[in-house]
Amino acid sequence: MAKFFYTARDSAGKKITSYEESNNQDEVLSRLQSRGLIVLDITSEHDSQVISNMPQSAARARKFHSGVSDDDLVLFCRQLATLLGAGVTILKCLDIIAKQVSSRKLLNVLIQLQKNMEAGLSLHEAMAKHPVFPELWVNLVESGEASGNLAIVLNRLATYLERNAEFKKKIVSALIYPFILFFAGTGALLFLTLKIIPTFAELFKGFNLKLPFLTQILVNMSGFLSKYFIVILIGIVVTVFLFRKFINTKEGRRRYELFLLNLPMLGEFFRALAVEKFSSGMSTLIESGVPILYSLEITEHSVGNSLMAEAIRNIKDEVRNGKTLSAPMEASGFFEPMVVQMVGIGEEIGELSQMFKKINSFYQDYVETFLVRFTAMFEPVMLIFMGGVIGIMVVGMFLPIFQLTKIGGGS
C-alpha cells in the first residue's frame, strides 16, 4: 500500500490536508467523497518524491499550478517531439519532461504514462486513459506508432496546437477592448442612474417643482432600479444559469447554434470559425496518415459545433458508401462553393491535406480581418451610444435647473 497526500474541504469550507494509505488513487478519492469531502488535490508518495527529487534551482525557478492549460499541452508535445527526434527513448522523454513540467496535474499524468508503458501499454493506449489528451492526440500518436514516424507526427501535432493557440490568442486579444469598453460604459451608466440622479431628485424635491417629462422619466427609472436592483441582478444571474443549462442540452445547443449562424453579419463569422476548426483538424490528420473516414470521425467529435458535427456525420456516411468527399460536402449546405471546389481539386491531384491547409489559412485570415473591422466599428458606435445616453441624462437633470433660473429671473 502507498501513501496518498490530499487536500480537501469539508461541508463547512474548512481546508483539510492529510494522507490516506491505499492501493490506488481512485480508492482514496471514493473514500474521501463518501465522507462528504470536496477533494481539491491528491498526490501519491511516489509523485511527491519526483517533485522533491528535482533540482532545487529548478524548483525555485517555477511554481506548480493545479490545472492543465493549452500552453502546458503545447509545450509537452513540442518537447516530446524534439526529444524523440533526437533519438531519446519514450520513457526517458517522459522522465525528462516530468522534471520540467509546471502543471502538477500534468506531472501526475506523465508519471502514470510511465507506469502504464512499463506495464506493457503503448503510448497511445496509455494516453487514452487520461482525459487530458483529446481524441485527436490519441489517434495521431497511434498513427505515428503504426508508421514508425512518431516524432514527425508529434511535430505536426505540436505545430497544429501552436497554430491553434496563437489563433485563439488573436481572437481573445481582439475582443478584450470591446468588452472593456462595454463594461466600463455599463458601469458609468449604473453609477449615474443609482448615485447621481437620486441626488438631483432629492434636490428638486426641496423646490416643490413640477419636473419636466424627460427628468421625471429618468427619476422614475432611477427609483425603480434602486429599489429592485438586487432582484434584477438575481434575475439576470438565474436567466444566465438557465440559459447555460438549456444550451448544454442537445436540442438547446442546436437551436442556439442555428440562431448564431442566422445572425446578420455575425452568422458568417461563426460559420467561418467552425470551418476553420474543421479544416485545421482534417489537414493535420490526413497529413499524418490517418484515413479519411477515421479523420472525419475524429473531427466530428472535436469540431465543437453540433450542426457541423451533424454535417460531418452525413459526409462520413456518404464517403463510406463510395462517394468522393467534395460531393457530400456540397450537399450539406454548410460549406461555401470555394471550399467544396478546393477539396475536389485536392482529391483529384492527391493533395487533400495541402488543400485543407490552404482552406484553414484562408479562414484564419478571414476571422482575423473580421475581428479587426468589428473592433474598429464597435468603438465609435459604442462611444456615440454612450455619449448619447449620458447626454440625455445630463440634459434631463439640468432642465429643472433651467426652469428655476427662469423663475428666479422673472421674479
Side-chain angles (χ1 to χ4, degrees), residues 136 160 163-164 167 271-287 295-296 299 302-303 308 312 325 329 335 338-339 342-343 352-365:
L136 178 69
Y160 163 82
R163 190 170 65 240
N164 278 9
F167 183 56
R271 187 182 299 271
L273 277 178
V275 176
E276 186 278 330
K277 193 165 187 179
F278 167 73
S279 57
S280 178
M282 287 294 290
S283 66
T284 304
L285 287 162
I286 294 173
E287 188 178 28
S295 298
L296 288 169
T299 51
S302 61
V303 75
M308 172 161 270
I312 295 171
L325 184 59
M329 282 180 67
F335 301 94
M338 179 202 72
V339 176
M342 290 182 71
V343 170
L352 193 54
S353 65
Q354 293 304 312
M355 283 300 177
F356 272 119
K357 195 171 287 186
K358 291 180 185 298
I359 292 168
N360 177 251
S361 178
F362 170 82
Y363 277 100
Q364 282 199 355
D365 290 341

Side-chain angles (χ1 to χ4, degrees), residues 15 17 22 27 35 45 53 142 148 201 207 213 330 338 357 383 390 397 403:
K15 193 173 182 179
T17 302
S22 180
E27 186 178 330
R35 293 188 215 155
E45 187 176 26
N53 289 337
E142 183 180 6
F207 291 102
F213 179 71
E330 183 177 16
M338 179 202 72
K357 195 171 287 186
L383 290 175
I390 293 173
M397 289 299 99
Q403 284 187 0

Side-chain angles (χ1 to χ4, degrees), residues 114-320:
Q114 288 177 278
K115 289 181 180 179
N116 291 331
M117 292 189 71
E118 287 170 354
L121 295 183
S122 62
L123 179 58
H124 83 270
E125 289 172 332
M127 281 183 163
K129 290 178 171 289
H130 302 280
V132 166
F133 302 109
E135 186 179 0
L136 178 69
W137 278 62
V138 177
N139 287 281
L140 282 175
V141 170
E142 183 180 6
S143 171
E145 287 178 317
S147 62
N149 297 316
L150 184 56
I152 295 173
V153 170
L154 283 171
N155 261 315
R156 288 172 183 160
L157 176 60
T159 302
Y160 163 82
L161 294 170
E162 287 166 351
R163 190 170 65 240
N164 278 9
E166 184 65 26
F167 183 56
K168 285 181 183 177
K169 287 175 183 177
K170 286 180 180 178
I171 292 177
V172 171
S173 297
L175 293 176
I176 282 176
Y177 180 69
F179 273 107
I180 291 175
L181 195 61
F182 173 78
F183 284 112
T186 304
L189 289 178
L190 285 174
F191 177 75
L192 286 171
T193 305
L194 299 175
K195 294 294 182 182
I196 304 301
I197 293 178
T199 303
F200 274 89
E202 288 297 321
L203 179 66
F204 297 148
K205 279 183 182 179
F207 291 102
N208 196 23
L209 182 70
K210 183 180 180 181
L211 298 178
F213 179 71
L214 177 59
T215 309
Q216 190 63 57
I217 289 177
L218 291 173
V219 169
N220 291 343
M221 182 180 68
S222 174
F224 178 82
L225 285 176
S226 299
K227 186 176 181 180
Y228 297 104
F229 181 74
I230 300 298
V231 176
I232 293 171
L233 192 62
I234 293 172
I236 292 172
V237 172
V238 171
T239 301
V240 171
F241 174 75
L242 293 176
F243 176 72
R244 287 177 64 87
K245 288 204 72 173
F246 173 70
I247 64 173
N248 283 334
T249 64
K250 186 177 179 180
E251 182 60 26
R253 189 72 186 176
R254 179 184 172 81
R255 290 188 181 185
Y256 175 64
E257 289 172 354
L258 199 59
F259 168 75
L260 292 179
L261 293 176
N262 288 323
L263 284 172
M265 291 178 60
L266 291 174
E268 288 303 314
F269 169 73
F270 290 115
R271 187 182 299 271
L273 277 178
V275 176
E276 186 278 330
K277 193 165 187 179
F278 167 73
S279 57
S280 178
M282 287 294 290
S283 66
T284 304
L285 287 162
I286 294 173
E287 188 178 28
S288 301
V290 180
I292 291 179
L293 278 173
Y294 208 10
S295 298
L296 288 169
E297 187 171 342
I298 295 168
T299 51
E300 177 191 338
H301 297 135
S302 61
V303 75
N305 183 292
S306 63
L307 293 175
M308 172 161 270
E310 185 179 333
I312 295 171
R313 194 178 310 119
N314 295 332
I315 292 168
K316 181 181 65 178
D317 293 338
E318 294 293 326
V319 172
R320 185 181 288 114

